[in-house]
Amino acid sequence: MAAMHNESISNQEDGDQNWYTSWFDTPYYHILYKDRNYREAQIFMDNLTHYLNLPEKANVLDLACGKGRHSIYLNQLGYNVLGADLSENSIAEANKNSNETLHFKVHDMREPFEEKFDAIFNLFTSFGYFENDEDNLTTLKAIKESLSEYGFAVIDFMNVTQVIETLVPEETKTVDEIDFHIKRYVEDGHIFKEIDFEDKGRKYHFTEKVKALSLKDFQDLMDEAGIFLLDIFGDYKLKKFHKTESERLIMIFK
């Protein structure tokens, strides 16, 4: 067993500075989350694009797109889509699906884009990862700067009140014969998820860390960024947001 510890791999080795760069770039991230409900995600995008009344062939940015599954679907709906993500491995995978109206690029969401978009989507809690809180404001400003004059942006975040109340402290998920041991807790205004597992004689340890941003936190950030919050929804069917009961915090702004 001692040899196994020498082979252990952890995203703590880089410090917590960029936990997401190492975890999102491993195949294990995609294995653990492969059972995500993509039909629900597609219904969400149908509802969202309908609500925003996006023009045909609108320019859409999928910010933090991962392997591009949602970018591909948005492209199938008839939009010109750019999927952007910090993970080079994810973008390399996504690029296999690119076409004349679907492109992917490695990009840091703190940086604005030169081109302007009719809609910018930041979906499935892909915000609040940064170690430095100031970066959350920088990201919002970058999103605002990347919108066209009549464009809208959408951030789909967890509803932290509901998440914290229903947090499962420990569980084991078995996917592809790998036992992922998961611990969840709240500390220093962040929601942590510790993930431990073994595969092919190696031990792995990864930590997910997301700032527990409430609606009030987002409102304060948006005020500072000069952003107008237009609407708030609580789930993927675009039902009204309820502070304690809603699963999601979906914000439409410009």
Side-chain angles (χ1 to χ4, degrees), residues 6 23 46-47 63 68-69 91-92 96 98 102 106 108 122 124 131 143 150 156 160 181 209 217 232 237 239 254:
N6 297 336
W23 174 221
D46 289 343
N47 291 334
L63 193 59
R69 202 184 285 228
I91 291 297
K96 294 174 184 173
S98 56
L102 175 62
V106 176
D108 188 318
N122 179 248
F124 309 106
E131 195 59 28
I143 290 172
Y150 301 107
D156 160 37
V160 292
H181 303 287
K209 177 183 177 184
D217 294 327
I232 308 158
K237 291 175 182 165
K239 288 197 182 127
K254 64 181 302 172

Side-chain angles (χ1 to χ4, degrees), residues 35-226:
D35 63 344
R36 280 186 168 164
N37 189 334
Y38 285 102
R39 184 69 203 115
E40 187 182 47
Q42 289 175 349
I43 290 165
F44 176 38
M45 282 176 275
D46 289 343
N47 291 334
L48 208 47
T49 51
H50 181 74
Y51 168 82
L52 294 174
N53 199 18
L54 289 181
E56 206 179 330
K57 296 183 179 171
N59 291 321
V60 175
L61 171 63
D62 182 9
L63 193 59
C65 69
K67 286 186 176 179
R69 202 184 285 228
H70 308 115
S71 303
I72 294 163
Y73 185 70
L74 287 163
N75 183 238
Q76 287 167 354
L77 292 178
Y79 304 114
N80 293 312
V81 181
L82 174 65
D85 200 281
L86 197 58
S87 165
E88 290 182 17
N89 288 356
S90 291
I91 291 297
E93 191 66 33
N95 260 326
K96 294 174 184 173
N97 301 286
S98 56
N99 60 46
E100 282 180 19
T101 56
L102 175 62
H103 299 93
F104 295 94
K105 72 186 285 187
V106 176
H107 184 89
D108 188 318
M109 64 166 70
R110 290 167 287 195
E111 301 288 331
F113 286 79
E114 282 179 32
E115 62 255 63
K116 301 285 185 248
F117 298 92
D118 302 306
I120 297 176
F121 295 154
N122 179 248
L123 305 173
F124 309 106
T125 309
S126 304
F127 194 91
Y129 294 166
F130 302 113
E131 195 59 28
N132 182 353
D133 286 347
E134 197 61 34
D135 287 337
N136 294 322
L137 180 62
T138 304
T139 300
L140 284 176
K141 286 178 177 172
I143 290 172
K144 185 191 174 203
E145 279 178 50
S146 306
L147 281 172
S148 66
E149 188 185 349
Y150 301 107
F152 297 97
V154 180
I155 289 179
D156 160 37
F157 201 69
M158 59 183 163
N159 175 14
V160 292
T161 309
Q162 194 259 1
V163 166
I164 290 168
E165 277 179 14
T166 58
L167 207 66
V168 179
E170 286 191 41
E171 67 173 317
T172 299
K173 279 188 179 174
T174 304
V175 190
D176 291 357
E177 298 182 359
I178 299 170
D179 296 331
F180 293 93
H181 303 287
I182 299 165
K183 287 184 181 177
R184 299 179 182 87
Y185 55 93
V186 183
E187 194 176 279
D188 297 333
H190 289 79
I191 295 169
F192 285 82
K193 190 191 277 188
E194 305 267 0
I195 302 155
D196 288 279
F197 57 95
E198 254 176 63
D199 187 41
K200 300 185 180 83
R202 285 186 164 190
K203 285 192 172 185
Y204 295 85
H205 173 81
F206 291 98
T207 305
E208 293 182 12
K209 177 183 177 184
V210 182
K211 188 156 178 67
L213 293 161
S214 65
L215 174 57
K216 171 78 167 63
D217 294 327
F218 273 107
Q219 285 170 324
D220 291 346
L221 283 167
M222 287 176 178
D223 284 348
E224 207 174 329

